[in-house]
Amino acid sequence: MSKSYGFDTLQIHAGARPDPATGARQTPIYQTTAYVFRDADHAAALFNLQEVGYIYSRLTNPTVAVLGERIATLEGGVGAVCCSSGHAAQIMALFPLMGPGRNIIASTRLYGGTITQFSQTIKRFGWSAKFVDTDDLDAVKAAIDDDTRAIFCETIANPGGYVSDIPALAKVADAAGIPLIVDNTSATPWLCRPIEMGATLVVHSTTKYLTGNGTVTGGAIVDSGKFDWSASAKFPSLSAPEPAYHGLRFHETFGALAFTFHGIAIGLRDLGMTMNPQGAHYTLMGIETLSLRMERHVANARKVAEWLENDPRVEFVTYAGLPSSPYYERAQKICPKGAGALFTFAVKGGYAACVKLVDSLDLFSNVANLGDTRSLIIHSASTTHRQLTEEQQIAAGAAPNVVRLSIGIEDADDIIADLDQALAKATA
Ligand SMILES: *Cc1c(COP(=O)(O)O)cnc(C)c1O
């Protein structure tokens, strides 16, 4: 597939070709665990990584491979590894970089579940995260030490309406000789392509906009192929001999594809966070209409945010697409087609009014998800951000008086009317 095709073409065709066995036009769901080897030599070559092919679906599967290539192409990367969830993708992204005693610099403005994963769970591996306000580049530089192995941020941070200055963070990462990892879940490659701005790795929860209709969980890690893993001794998993493959060096052997091959041959093989072919099928169906949906998501979000901002029952709206947002100018540079469809607003009346609002809505669903065709709402402080301290909640943009919206692709007038009637009840 020519990489010169436009986004709308690539979201339908990249990675896919008519099925060689049957000519099936749609990508078949290869519902198989294993693949028959041509002969013993073929099997040995596959196990030695001397030939690329299918062995067992914990490692690779043809349906999942089409999705990986599609996402890599849309992001402008050289390869991608698909995983069972976005959180799996985050662990898989860090795994080749980290080891006991190593740390990452993580933005204070991340998805609540990611803050928990990074502040608590990764400690069990001997890894740690230093949370830093990534708008303060001096603070980011100061936090980097000899054990730092990556900087991690989100393009449009969920849920606070923050936009990361990806080019500036990429420069800091470059100067320190470490990769910048960008979670591009809430922007999608249609709104932002972090690799073009200097990111080394892009991670996704494909659960959200890429699938788009709330059917399956999944994740992906896209590699830019641009990082020199052998420039220092910091990344031995990629640059040093690998004992489990007779001393093979991934970077020397696979070049730009080193991270992707390591993700499959070591990451999926031993951590087993594999995406299944049914899941990949649903996400492939969703991705075909990504640009059409995102265009509508963004147009609706803008209308709803403008309406809310002018409503006296609302204290403030944090949408980077509004000129009142401190991130408005940056959003024009980082995601000029729109600031996504995910934002928060504060209800006059605080925690109690937020709870009443959520319970009074008809069209909106109260769910812990985002990026669905349906409009969704959640009161983060009592749910997704419940495990955080109030200080962390406020830092993450999830204060007790704030609700988060994920604006769907319904009629904008219906979305606004529903918020109007529920706000009336919540603030009565
Ligand atoms: C949902 C989400 C995740 C986690 O993804 P799962 O698929 O739920 O594991 C990570 N980052 C962001 C920005 C998300 O929205």
Side-chain angles (χ1 to χ4, degrees):
M1 174 74 23
S2 163
K3 304 250 171 178
S4 66
Y5 281 128
F7 192 98
D8 292 352
T9 304
L10 293 171
Q11 73 186 358
I12 295 169
H13 293 285
R17 48 199 69 79
D19 180 45
T22 62
R25 177 58 275 198
Q26 190 48 277
T27 299
I29 304 168
Y30 284 91
Q31 197 66 57
T32 184
T33 306
Y35 308 84
V36 179
F37 305 122
R38 288 194 303 271
D39 52 34
D41 284 346
H42 177 222
L46 290 175
F47 275 91
N48 265 344
L49 302 181
Q50 285 159 335
E51 192 177 322
V52 177
Y54 296 102
I55 298 175
Y56 186 67
S57 283
R58 171 156 34 80
L59 306 169
T60 47
N61 171 282
T63 312
V64 179
V66 171
L67 178 62
E69 194 174 332
R70 177 106 23 113
I71 296 172
T73 305
L74 294 179
E75 285 287 0
V78 294
V81 180
C82 294
C83 313
S84 50
S85 70
H87 271 189
Q90 292 172 184
I91 294 295
M92 287 276 295
L94 296 181
F95 184 65
L97 314 177
M98 302 291 275
R102 309 302 186 207
N103 68 69
I104 58 167
I105 308 299
S107 167
T108 46
R109 291 137 182 170
L110 293 177
Y111 175 71
T114 304
I115 293 182
T116 308
Q117 187 186 51
F118 287 176
S119 63
Q120 308 298 330
T121 303
I122 63 170
K123 284 190 203 156
R124 313 275 180 96
F125 306 141
W127 311 347
S128 62
K130 299 188 198 181
F131 289 93
V132 178
D133 174 356
T134 45
D135 279 349
D136 184 347
L137 296 176
D138 289 332
V140 174
K141 285 179 207 162
I144 295 172
D145 63 31
D146 287 346
D147 286 319
T148 304
R149 291 295 177 269
I151 299 175
F152 190 103
C153 70
E154 290 175 12
T155 308
I156 303 173
N158 163 11
Y162 299 99
V163 178
S164 295
D165 191 347
I166 297 171
L169 288 168
K171 269 195 203 132
V172 174
D174 269 356
I178 55 176
L180 172 66
I181 308 174
V182 178
D183 181 338
N184 201 31
T185 298
S186 41
T188 81
W190 191 70
L191 292 176
C192 177
R193 297 185 5 129
I195 288 172
E196 287 171 1
M197 298 179 187
T200 300
L201 301 170
V202 171
V203 293
H204 272 284
S205 167
T206 60
T207 313
K208 313 294 169 52
Y209 293 104
L210 296 188
T211 305
N213 44 27
T215 45
V216 286
T217 62
I221 312 122
V222 182
D223 181 22
S224 63
K226 290 179 182 156
F227 195 88
D228 183 357
W229 305 109
S230 306
S232 75
K234 285 185 174 161
F235 304 102
S237 295
L238 295 158
S239 63
E242 168 58 50
Y245 282 106
H246 305 300
L248 172 147
R249 294 169 193 260
F250 275 87
H251 190 212
E252 186 185 272
T253 309
F254 301 112
L257 282 166
F259 194 92
T260 302
F261 273 62
H262 188 279
I264 295 165
I266 306 281
L268 291 181
R269 188 195 65 181
D270 296 343
L271 300 178
M273 301 170 170
T274 309
M275 181 183 278
N276 68 77
Q278 279 283 345
H281 167 73
Y282 284 111
T283 304
L284 281 167
M285 295 297 94
I287 263 188
E288 294 190 350
T289 57
L290 178 64
S291 64
L292 308 176
R293 287 183 288 107
M294 290 312 291
E295 200 169 355
R296 174 66 75 86
H297 276 296
V298 166
N300 279 358
R302 199 175 282 139
K303 283 183 201 162
V304 175
E306 278 166 8
W307 180 83
L308 283 168
E309 191 171 47
N310 290 314
D311 193 288
R313 296 164 295 190
V314 172
E315 224 159 283
F316 60 81
V317 181
T318 60
Y319 181 53
L322 291 174
S324 61
S325 164
Y327 292 93
Y328 181 74
E329 308 267 295
R330 189 181 290 169
Q332 307 297 306
K333 275 187 248 151
I334 304 294
C335 39
K337 282 191 271 192
L342 192 69
F343 61 89
T344 60
F345 70 98
V347 185
K348 286 186 184 157
Y351 191 101
C354 287
V355 170
K356 183 87 175 93
L357 173 84
V358 167
D359 284 343
S360 304
L361 285 159
D362 175 45
L363 186 59
F364 277 81
S365 306
N366 176 12
V367 298
N369 191 19
L370 59 99
D372 196 321
T373 47
R374 293 153 193 81
S375 287
L376 313 175
I377 189 167
I378 196 157
H379 181 223
S380 304
S382 61
T383 56
T384 53
H385 288 59
R386 195 183 180 84
Q387 311 303 332
L388 309 184
T389 64
E390 187 164 333
E391 194 186 16
Q392 284 176 315
Q393 287 176 348
I394 292 166
N401 63 337
V402 160
V403 290
R404 184 193 76 195
L405 303 181
S406 170
I407 300 298
I409 59 174
E410 303 101 332
D411 285 292
D413 291 346
D414 292 338
I415 299 172
I416 289 171
D418 196 31
L419 285 167
D420 192 23
Q421 64 80 21
L423 274 168
K425 289 179 187 146
T427 58

